[in-house]
Amino acid sequence: MVHSIEMSLMNHHIVVVVLVVGVLVVVMVLVMLMVWFADTLAYFAGRIIGGPKLAPRISPKKTWEGSYGGLAGGYLITLLLKLTFFRERSEERRVGK
C-alpha cells in the first residue's frame, strides 16, 4: 500500500516536471522567434532606409533606422504572438472571470 502511494506521487512528480520543461521550451522558442524577427526587420530597415551610423567605430554598418526597425519588429512580433497564443487569457481578464 505504501509502495503504491509512493509510486503514484512519483508519477505525478514526473508529470509536473515534464509540463514545466515543456512550458520552458515553448517560452524559449517564442523568445528566439521574437529576437530573430526583430533582428531581421532591423537588418532590412537599415539596408533599405539607410541613414546616419549608430556607432561607426564599433559596428560600421549599423544605422539608427535599423535600430528603430528592430524595435518595431520586436513590438510587432510580440503583439502577434500575444494575439495568437495568449488571446483567451486576455479576454478572460476583460470579462472578469
Side-chain angles (χ1 to χ4, degrees):
M1 179 72 177
V2 173
H3 181 59
S4 65
I5 292 173
E6 288 175 0
M7 288 304 290
S8 176
L9 291 174
M10 178 90 113
N11 288 338
H12 284 87
H13 179 70
I14 291 171
V15 168
V16 168
V17 168
V18 168
L19 288 175
V20 168
V21 169
V23 168
L24 290 176
V25 168
V26 169
V27 168
M28 185 178 71
V29 168
L30 291 177
V31 168
M32 289 174 63
L33 182 64
M34 290 177 355
V35 169
W36 174 80
F37 192 81
D39 193 42
T40 302
L41 199 60
Y43 171 77
F44 284 113
R47 285 293 275 187
I48 293 170
I49 300 171
K53 304 297 181 193
L54 183 64
R57 287 187 176 180
I58 298 171
S59 184
K61 293 190 178 187
K62 301 282 190 276
T63 63
W64 282 101
E65 285 74 10
S67 66
Y68 297 141
L71 286 172
Y75 177 76
L76 289 174
I77 192 67
T78 303
L79 184 64
L80 180 69
L81 291 173
K82 180 190 179 300
L83 293 174
T84 303
F85 294 109
F86 303 106
R87 187 172 171 187
E88 296 172 5
R89 297 203 140 195
S90 297
E91 290 174 1
E92 287 176 6
R93 286 188 192 130
R94 270 188 248 132
V95 174
K97 292 183 179 181

